[in-house]
Amino acid sequence: MTAPFPAVAALAPRTALEALAGPPQRFLASAWPWRSLAYLLAGLVPGSAFAAVLTPVRLMGGPAAVPVSLAVAAVLLTPVARFERWRLGLADRQPVRGLPDGWWPGWREAGHTLVALVALWWVDLLVAAAAIGGPVVLILSPVVQPTAPEGEATLAQTFAGSALGLLLVPVAAYTVSAWAGARAAMARAMLVPQEAETREIARSRARLVDAFEAERRRIERDLHDGAQQRLVALSMKLGLAGLDLPPGSPAALRLDEARELAGQALGELRELIRGVHPQVLADRGLPAAVRDVAGRSPVPARADVTLDRRLPERVEAAAYYVACEALANVAKHSGAGSCTVRGRLRGARLVLEVADDGRGGADPARGTGLTGLADRVAAVGGTLTVESPHGGPTTVRAEIPCEW
């Protein structure tokens, strides 16, 4: 079976449409219906601006009114564009990347503002009025509609209409939020094309990964040059102190125990440094690092990684992490007798496969670390798939772009 790993879902909805997909009781108790209503009612601002643009036509008339109206529209374009950008946050809390930082809006933002001025504002207000007007009229029917003195049926019908209005409130909430979410999605699509936003997210993710790798390297240097050297010096001093004691004495035995503990701590520290960022990976690249980790695997492993060039540091670090964790999973869970690590460059992508002849049935839900592997690969723009039918064999395949 092939199991791709999707990204982890957000804990809280970021848009009105995402909130609509949640449980009804959670949606109705949240602030999203009110935020959506505020988003639609905020259409009064571009509507007022549109009325201001048409005012010279109504007051002046004739050909002279046209340039005056155009001048009013040019003056109002920037503040209304800024308001529309703020207004979008009511129904969509995701940051809008790629918009110009200056005061004057870009051509996409200006186009969206003109559409909002001319056409969209009255649709927003019409949907809001239709969605909330009916329930409000029905709920207030006992107050606004006088009861006929001779008919109890009229009184019952009036309060039945009020109850029906209360039942229509959730329907109004869903209607308002659905249109607000659709309008916000339309506005986002008009403001920033999807590919531009995707590129910006990829660049931001690359910067985070690079910063993370730089921090890992700094920790590795600090451990190598600091704690490791102090432990080596401690072991040497303990050895020299032992030369001054009679062999077999209680003090000499305790010094020997201390030297042994210091040696164990030094070995554990070296393993930790190797796990943070192994020196062989930094000096000789991914093929040598994979051969090194395969040689230390409890399950006999064959490394077949052939590359014609050095890869970016973040790609090498992610691929090395995949190889280490996949081999650890083989040793812990697979019951395999052998495994193979194979890596090749295919175009601009590194394809790394770890295959074993074990029992199969690898399942991320059982805590085998596969979800963590998928997250690590996704952080550098790659994908991870697992083929692991019951009875085996199992193949973990990572595809990582080398240039992005």
Side-chain angles (χ1 to χ4, degrees):
M1 58 183 175
T2 301
F5 296 88
V8 179
L11 295 179
R14 298 168 297 173
T15 67
L17 292 180
E18 288 183 3
L20 282 171
Q25 64 275 14
R26 181 180 301 175
F27 166 72
L28 293 174
S30 70
W32 281 107
W34 298 104
R35 294 172 66 96
S36 301
L37 180 60
Y39 177 79
L40 298 186
L41 293 180
L44 286 170
V45 173
S48 301
F50 183 68
V53 171
L54 293 183
T55 298
V57 176
R58 293 196 301 266
L59 295 180
M60 300 173 58
V66 176
V68 176
S69 293
L70 292 177
V72 173
V75 171
L76 294 178
L77 183 64
T78 296
V80 174
R82 290 292 174 176
F83 176 80
E84 286 293 321
R85 186 186 299 191
W86 170 85
R87 177 191 178 196
L88 179 61
L90 292 172
D92 186 343
R93 296 194 293 190
Q94 302 176 98
V96 181
R97 300 176 175 89
L99 291 181
D101 296 328
W103 176 250
W104 181 254
W107 68 271
R108 280 186 171 273
E109 193 171 8
H112 168 257
T113 304
L114 288 176
V115 173
L117 280 173
V118 175
L120 295 179
W121 66 269
W122 62 268
V123 181
D124 294 341
L125 297 180
L126 183 62
V127 171
I132 66 176
V136 168
V137 170
L138 289 174
I139 291 172
L140 297 180
S141 57
V143 178
V144 299
Q145 179 178 345
T147 303
E150 68 279 0
E152 293 185 2
T154 304
L155 180 62
Q157 292 173 359
T158 300
F159 282 98
S162 181
L164 179 60
L166 291 174
L167 293 177
L168 289 178
V169 169
V171 178
Y174 271 88
T175 303
V176 167
S177 299
W179 175 247
R183 271 279 286 113
M186 185 192 315
R188 177 176 289 274
M190 294 178 66
L191 289 173
V192 183
Q194 186 66 31
E195 58 273 13
E197 191 164 12
T198 301
R199 285 196 300 269
E200 178 62 26
I201 293 173
R203 286 193 293 266
S204 175
R205 183 169 58 186
R207 290 191 294 268
L208 289 175
V209 171
D210 288 341
F212 175 72
E213 289 301 326
E215 183 66 15
R216 280 164 53 96
R217 298 293 296 275
R218 185 192 66 79
I219 294 172
E220 185 267 339
R221 287 194 304 270
D222 291 346
L223 291 175
H224 184 274
D225 299 336
Q228 181 175 246
Q229 298 303 321
R230 291 189 180 92
L231 282 174
V232 171
L234 176 62
S235 297
M236 293 177 61
K237 288 183 179 294
L238 290 174
L240 292 174
L243 296 176
D244 298 332
L245 297 174
S249 64
L253 292 176
R254 285 193 290 272
L255 276 178
D256 290 340
E257 292 176 358
R259 284 190 64 192
E260 184 178 353
L261 290 174
Q264 292 175 1
L266 184 59
E268 292 176 357
L269 182 61
R270 284 171 176 163
E271 288 295 323
L272 176 62
I273 293 173
R274 185 181 291 114
V276 171
H277 196 94
Q279 193 64 33
V280 65
L281 179 63
D283 294 342
R284 300 171 57 194
L286 183 63
V290 171
R291 286 194 297 269
D292 176 65
V293 72
R296 294 183 282 109
S297 172
V299 177
R302 183 175 67 90
D304 178 19
V305 180
T306 303
L307 306 175
D308 57 5
R309 56 187 171 90
R310 285 295 298 265
L311 305 179
E313 288 186 5
R314 59 177 176 267
V315 176
E316 288 188 337
Y320 178 77
Y321 180 84
V322 169
C324 290
E325 291 299 312
L327 288 174
N329 283 340
V330 170
K332 292 177 183 178
H333 308 291
S334 72
S338 64
C339 60
T340 301
V341 184
R342 186 175 184 272
R344 295 289 188 275
L345 275 177
R346 296 183 180 175
R349 299 179 72 85
L350 169 67
V351 180
L352 186 75
E353 293 182 348
V354 181
D356 67 72
D357 57 1
R359 66 177 68 96
D363 184 2
R366 298 209 306 257
T368 55
L370 295 176
T371 302
L373 278 181
D375 292 340
R376 180 59 185 270
V377 173
V380 291
T383 58
L384 186 85
T385 56
V386 175
E387 297 178 5
S388 185
H390 289 282
T394 296
T395 300
V396 178
R397 177 188 177 96
E399 297 189 23
I400 304 174
C402 300
E403 297 176 0
W404 49 285

